[in-house]
Amino acid sequence: MERDKALALVKEQITEHRYQHTLGVVGTAIELAERFGVDKHKAEMAAIFHDYAKFRPKEEMKKIIETQGMDERLLSYNSELWHAPVGAYLVKKEAGVEDEDILDAIRFHTSGRPGMTGLEKVIYLADYIEPGRHFPGVDEVRELAKHNLEQALISSIRNTIMFLVKKNQAVFPDTFHTFNDLVLNNRS
Ligand code: DGI
Ligand code: FE
Ligand code: FE
């Protein structure tokens, strides 16, 4: 699919603010893909569509999770997690994206998963460090991302987990499993 066609499809689904975030993720994802040897076209497409389902009604997302055989544990956790797997489903169904690498990068962009592909790592990280993000610790992750994809990812997932824990929010198990997987496989 053409970049402009994809952007037009996404623009209809999300707010202007979220669209500006998406453009930030696209630029960052292409940079990271180039730096770390990941397919740039797939990175661009996954970035464009990553938050496609962000504003779907919760009831619609819940129904899709239940009827499409998705992980129902999601329903017990923060509904912010739902737009990632539901997005992968809707981007295929409504936008006609068939590439499973791209769909997986959308599916796992919020929780990550053990054994993430390079493309999945690039999208997770680009979502975290795009220029519009301003949370504490993001500059340190931006520095790490200049030369080490895995260390940058570990740092961003650690920040996310600590942020949730400090707010007394339950952490989805896959987020912990992703953190453990990366730490255990990147000990220096
Ligand atoms: O969609 P974005 O805002 O661009 O970013 P995102 O897809 O990473 O979603 C971030 C939101 O998801 C944020 O409100 C925190 C929440 N979140 C991320 N990981 C977890 C989580 N919430 C819970 N309960 N558990 C998680 O592991
Ligand atoms: Fe998201
Ligand atoms: Fe996002």
Side-chain angles (χ1 to χ4, degrees):
M1 191 184 308
E2 287 289 312
R3 172 198 172 95
D4 289 350
K5 169 92 195 298
L7 284 170
L9 288 174
V10 163
K11 203 171 199 302
E12 286 175 15
Q13 298 288 327
I14 59 182
T15 60
E16 180 58 27
H17 182 257
R18 183 65 28 182
Y19 185 69
Q20 292 305 320
H21 158 71
T22 295
L23 294 179
V25 177
V26 172
T28 303
I30 291 173
E31 250 177 58
L32 292 173
E34 201 151 80
R35 189 173 304 150
F36 297 112
V38 164
D39 185 310
K40 273 198 286 180
H41 176 69
K42 291 191 188 202
E44 180 176 48
M45 281 299 138
I48 291 174
F49 284 113
H50 85 283
D51 277 339
Y52 181 88
K54 187 88 178 171
F55 299 100
R56 289 298 169 114
K58 277 189 202 167
E59 272 313 307
E60 182 188 350
M61 291 199 282
K62 183 167 183 277
K63 188 154 281 174
I64 290 171
I65 289 168
E66 287 166 347
T67 58
Q68 299 303 317
M70 295 177 187
D71 186 344
E72 297 206 11
R73 293 174 312 164
L74 286 162
L75 300 174
S76 308
Y77 291 83
N78 194 340
S79 58
E80 281 293 325
L81 289 158
W82 303 352
H83 74 286
V86 169
Y89 170 77
L90 290 175
V91 163
K92 183 173 188 175
K93 184 162 172 262
E94 297 178 0
V97 174
E98 302 268 351
D99 186 302
E100 290 296 332
D101 299 336
I102 295 172
L103 297 175
D104 280 342
I106 299 167
R107 187 172 290 122
F108 299 110
H109 87 265
T110 304
S111 65
R113 64 163 164 172
M116 285 169 88
T117 64
L119 179 63
E120 289 164 20
K121 291 174 183 173
V122 159
I123 297 303
Y124 186 102
L125 190 58
D127 192 20
Y128 193 81
I129 65 171
E130 65 92 359
R133 297 291 208 190
H134 298 291
F135 28 72
V138 69
D139 281 333
E140 192 190 322
V141 180
R142 287 189 178 114
E143 278 307 308
L144 290 169
K146 288 180 182 164
H147 45 263
N148 193 322
L149 182 59
E150 275 72 29
Q151 291 305 328
L153 201 61
I154 288 171
S155 194
S156 63
I157 297 172
R158 183 180 62 214
N159 287 351
T160 300
I161 291 172
M162 290 190 344
F163 168 80
L164 293 164
V165 169
K166 277 185 195 152
K167 289 202 309 175
N168 246 354
Q169 275 209 39
V171 180
F172 190 58
D174 289 17
T175 304
F176 277 129
H177 293 148
T178 307
F179 178 76
N180 287 343
D181 175 61
L182 287 162
V183 169
L184 292 173
N185 288 300
N186 292 282
R187 275 191 287 218
S188 44

